[in-house]
Amino acid sequence: MTITWVPIIFVDVAGAFLMIVFSILSIRHAWRLIRKDPENLVWTYLLWLAVGLAGFAISRSAGHILKQVLFVSGYDPVWEHIRPVSGSLNTMLLIVVAAVTLFFNRAWHIYQGVFAERKALQGTQSELMRLNETLENRVQERTAALLIHEKRMAQTDRLASIGQLSSGIAHELNNPLGVIQGYTQLLLRGEEPASQKHQDLQVILKHARNCKTIVDDLLNFARHSKPEKTEINIHDVIDDVLIFIKHRGKMEKIRIETRFDENVVPMSMDDKKIKQVLINLLMNARHAVGEDGAIVISTAYEPEVRQIKVSVADNGYGIDAKNLVRIFDPFFTTKSTGEGTGLGLAVSYGIIKNHGGEIQVSSKPGKGAVFTVILPVNPAKDTLMAS
Amino acid sequence: MISKDKLKLIVTACFITLLATSSPAIATQPHGDPEGVVIHQFSHVFFIFSMGILIYWLRNRELDRQPGWREIKYSAFFLILWSAVAFVAHLLDEQLAWVITSRVDSFTMLVETTRGGPVLAWFYYIAKLDHLLCVPGLFFLYRGLARLSDFEEKKVEGGGA
Ligand SMILES: Nc1ncnc2c1ncn2[C@@H]1O[C@H](COP(=O)(O)OP(=O)(O)OP(=O)(O)O)[C@@H](O)[C@H]1O
Ligand SMILES: [Mg+2]
């Protein structure tokens, strides 16, 4: 059939031109990529691909344009000279592009392997560094724990010797005080109730009684008496204490919040003594927060260690760091005479020790203080096992 | 751009050397030496194979879901089609000689077929418009590379900020 050349010529010339344009643009962008990351294998391949195709496009398109020009102008025999060169070049560049693609595919696998190994190496290294770091952290933690432990031991020692001393004094004072009380009462019977002497004797009796409570407190702190234990839930004890405290007034503006752990189990304890501890802690907290503040009583049961924690937190004036080690000492107080004797915490400490427990304190001066009482759930068994 | 200049130099050098050494073919004979045609046909097959591998690789790594790489996949696809069409056209005219073309005048040509009749003639005529396939192929290559390099540029900027 006879048919016009025109579409073929047109598509050949326009297509050839567009091929050159697009392939050169491709090289430009591949070049931009490789400049960002010269060691990237993928970009390297894309650059080769673009260059190979561009070479092909230029050689082929130049050939095609030339061919059409020659044909149209009637010089087609000349084309036969150029044709083998252009054709061979096309062939060669096509093979180059194909070979580069296949080679890239292989190289990629190898590259992946090397990459994975490098990753693994980096992983191991960072793991090592992490281990090293945790090791250091652990050493630090243990050292800190040891220091705290040592301090606590020192405090226990000190409190024990203070206890011995004070129990000795208390014992010595107890009998004379009893005698003073007895004789005063005897004398009181022989006096008229309205007389001056009667009143004077009443004053003596009152102060002797005060002395007696202090001496009792001291003995409580030092004496390792077995507490009279009953099985009871700590929450009931706390509720009783709160009712008692509220009746004593001056607590209207203080918000007392309780956060009870439902899992707390009943435990055996001397509830009168524990109440005394809680009252001491609450009175201290009340004093610390002043007229208007907040106190939070929370409980927590830790089944793994079979312990119950009761903490009393307040947002009061807090405790200075230098006082923190002394607050459990008998007669240590920052309050003025008449406001406090400094026996509350000492007595509480003795009671909790007798229960086989522990009492801890933490405080930020100006922000408040937290006292935590830790009681073992089965102290009887524990002490049995320990002895 | 250095590479473009270098490339130009290499291409020109090759042209000149080959022009100087090749013996002029007989004017009326449209076929090259058989080896030349065969090696050219091989190159087309090899090229199709390698582009197929490239598409396989892109799919395997799921890169073809990302913009940029997707265009490069389309590019490989069009280049495969183009290579196949070019292969068939070469087969018809140069290897099997089922189709013989000759020039009537500057704007008309004669397409004769030894087999297949006018259908094959038309098929050959359309196959000769192979630029309709390789131009999109290169266009997608350019789009893909442009998107990739834009993306990488943004990534570097984003990382630097
Ligand atoms: N919740 C608290 N906030 C701030 N400081 C506290 C708190 N609890 C105790 N302290 C400090 O510890 C000291 C000792 O307390 P402790 O209860 O032993 O004695 P006290 O309260 O001073 O006297 P009392 O014998 O009347 O209890 C207090 O004087 C106070 O400085
Ligand atoms: Mg107190």
Side-chain angles (χ1 to χ4, degrees):
Chain A
M1 67 177 180
T2 17
I3 193 161
T4 170
W5 282 107
V6 175
I8 292 186
I9 294 174
F10 177 73
V11 168
D12 250 19
V13 174
F17 176 72
L18 286 175
M19 289 226 352
I20 294 175
V21 170
F22 287 141
S23 61
I24 286 174
L25 285 174
S26 298
I27 294 185
R28 219 190 88 201
H29 286 293
W31 186 250
R32 265 173 78 198
L33 278 171
I34 199 95
R35 255 211 326 235
K36 290 271 131 49
D37 184 3
E39 287 181 4
N40 191 313
L41 181 72
V42 183
W43 301 158
T44 310
Y45 161 67
L46 286 178
L47 181 65
W48 276 78
L49 180 74
V51 169
L53 283 174
F56 174 75
I58 290 169
S59 117
R60 186 179 133 103
S61 303
H64 274 234
I65 293 171
L66 200 63
K67 179 173 124 187
Q68 300 306 348
V69 169
L70 289 174
F71 267 60
V72 171
S73 56
Y75 283 105
D76 38 328
V78 180
W79 172 242
E80 294 309 324
H81 290 270
I82 301 169
R83 197 186 124 83
V85 180
S86 161
S88 306
L89 202 61
N90 291 349
T91 309
M92 193 185 82
L93 287 168
L94 218 49
I95 290 174
V96 165
V97 169
V100 164
T101 303
L102 290 187
F103 182 72
F104 164 70
N105 196 45
R106 272 320 303 157
W108 174 257
H109 278 288
I110 298 165
Y111 179 73
Q112 280 301 90
V114 173
F115 196 68
E117 265 167 37
R118 199 168 73 181
K119 264 269 167 69
L121 210 66
Q122 275 173 351
T124 324
Q125 197 186 349
S126 56
E127 173 76 354
L128 264 174
M129 265 161 69
R130 200 183 57 79
L131 281 177
N132 198 19
E133 214 167 84
T134 39
L135 199 69
E136 268 171 26
N137 280 350
R138 255 193 233 168
V139 170
Q140 263 174 5
E141 265 168 38
R142 289 282 157 88
T143 318
L146 204 70
L147 267 172
I148 291 174
H149 197 72
E150 272 175 3
K151 263 193 193 159
R152 218 177 271 164
M153 290 280 283
Q155 193 186 19
T156 318
D157 274 1
R158 203 159 45 92
L159 288 181
S161 51
I162 293 172
Q164 265 175 0
L165 180 71
S166 46
S167 77
I169 297 170
H171 228 89
E172 292 307 310
L173 288 180
N174 215 13
N175 292 339
L177 273 176
V179 175
I180 291 171
Q181 261 187 317
Y183 276 95
T184 316
Q185 274 163 344
L186 210 68
L187 284 175
L188 269 173
R189 273 185 221 153
E191 293 297 330
E192 286 289 312
S195 71
Q196 180 63 38
K197 254 194 180 162
H198 191 276
Q199 279 174 20
D200 292 346
L201 286 170
Q202 281 286 0
V203 173
I204 294 175
L205 190 62
K206 188 183 135 206
H207 283 269
R209 279 201 183 124
N210 279 350
C211 287
K212 192 95 167 81
T213 31
I214 292 176
V215 165
D216 282 348
D217 277 347
L218 267 183
L219 286 175
N220 240 332
F221 164 68
R223 196 189 293 143
H224 289 276
S225 60
K226 267 258 171 323
E228 288 164 31
K229 286 180 178 174
T230 44
E231 191 89 356
I232 193 159
N233 191 321
I234 189 80
H235 292 164
D236 299 338
V237 178
I238 296 171
D239 286 337
D240 280 355
V241 167
L242 285 178
I243 291 168
F244 173 76
I245 290 266
K246 276 174 188 155
H247 276 308
R248 289 184 71 182
K250 273 202 194 167
M251 302 285 277
E252 297 87 17
K253 284 196 176 160
I254 299 170
R255 295 176 297 283
I256 299 185
E257 195 188 321
T258 50
R259 291 182 196 152
F260 287 168
D261 179 355
E262 295 304 319
N263 301 321
V264 162
V265 291
M267 54 175 288
S268 71
M269 61 180 142
D270 191 333
D271 62 315
K272 284 201 192 76
K273 294 272 168 69
I274 297 292
K275 269 179 201 163
Q276 202 184 334
V277 171
L278 290 171
I279 289 169
N280 278 329
L281 294 181
L282 283 168
M283 296 311 266
N284 284 347
R286 193 197 68 178
H287 190 273
V289 297
E291 299 249 296
D292 185 8
I295 299 172
V296 179
I297 306 169
S298 44
T299 59
Y301 176 51
E302 287 170 358
E304 321 85 56
V305 281
R306 296 190 60 73
Q307 281 178 344
I308 288 176
K309 278 189 177 176
V310 182
S311 61
V312 177
D314 65 68
N315 61 355
Y317 47 68
I319 305 161
D320 281 347
K322 66 172 175 9
N323 288 342
L324 218 46
V325 286
R326 300 180 57 202
I327 53 171
F328 293 105
D329 293 2
F331 304 112
F332 174 80
T333 181
T334 56
K335 295 164 191 170
S336 53
T337 359
E339 254 194 297
T341 45
L343 277 176
L345 285 178
V347 170
S348 305
Y349 181 89
I351 292 171
I352 299 302
K353 273 277 154 200
N354 278 343
H355 275 79
E358 219 179 302
I359 179 163
Q360 291 172 349
V361 59
S362 70
S363 170
K364 277 201 186 113
K367 292 264 168 66
V370 185
F371 284 84
T372 308
V373 172
I374 302 170
L375 289 169
V377 172
N378 285 336
K381 264 185 211 160
D382 285 1
T383 30
L384 257 173
M385 278 197 288
S387 58
Chain B
M1 217 178 289
I2 313 156
S3 68
K4 218 172 78 183
D5 289 345
K6 263 189 193 164
L7 195 81
K8 261 189 197 160
L9 205 74
I10 294 167
V11 171
T12 343
C14 289
F15 249 104
I16 290 166
T17 339
L18 286 168
L19 261 179
T21 51
S22 68
S23 59
I26 306 156
T28 47
Q29 174 62 267
H31 308 291
D33 288 333
E35 294 98 312
V37 181
V38 169
I39 188 86
H40 188 73
Q41 293 290 70
F42 270 155
S43 78
H44 273 293
V45 175
F46 187 36
F47 183 75
I48 290 174
F49 175 68
S50 75
M51 287 296 122
I53 293 272
L54 178 63
I55 291 179
Y56 169 79
W57 181 79
L58 288 174
R59 293 179 69 121
N60 206 23
R61 299 213 53 232
E62 298 189 346
L63 274 176
D64 57 337
R65 294 192 195 156
Q66 296 172 20
W69 288 108
R70 195 183 303 144
E71 281 83 356
I72 288 175
K73 189 180 77 170
Y74 297 155
S75 162
F77 180 70
F78 273 106
L79 289 176
I80 286 177
L81 285 184
W82 160 76
S83 198
V85 167
F87 177 85
V88 172
H90 285 310
L91 196 71
L92 289 178
D93 60 11
E94 296 196 50
Q95 278 191 287
L96 302 173
W98 287 0
V99 178
I100 296 156
T101 54
S102 50
R103 199 163 69 88
V104 178
D105 58 50
S106 292
F107 294 101
T108 17
M109 67 173 181
L110 179 66
V111 183
E112 288 165 301
T113 51
T114 54
R115 277 187 218 197
V119 177
L120 190 69
W122 271 108
F123 179 80
Y124 178 78
Y125 187 78
I126 289 167
K128 270 294 173 191
L129 300 172
D130 61 335
H131 274 104
L132 295 178
L133 291 171
C134 63
V135 168
L138 278 183
F139 171 74
F140 278 122
L141 179 71
Y142 146 68
R143 277 312 307 153
L145 284 168
R147 292 188 83 160
L148 277 180
S149 64
D150 283 351
F151 182 72
E152 288 299 311
E153 207 135 86
K154 248 180 238 151
K155 207 162 75 178
V156 169
E157 275 165 22

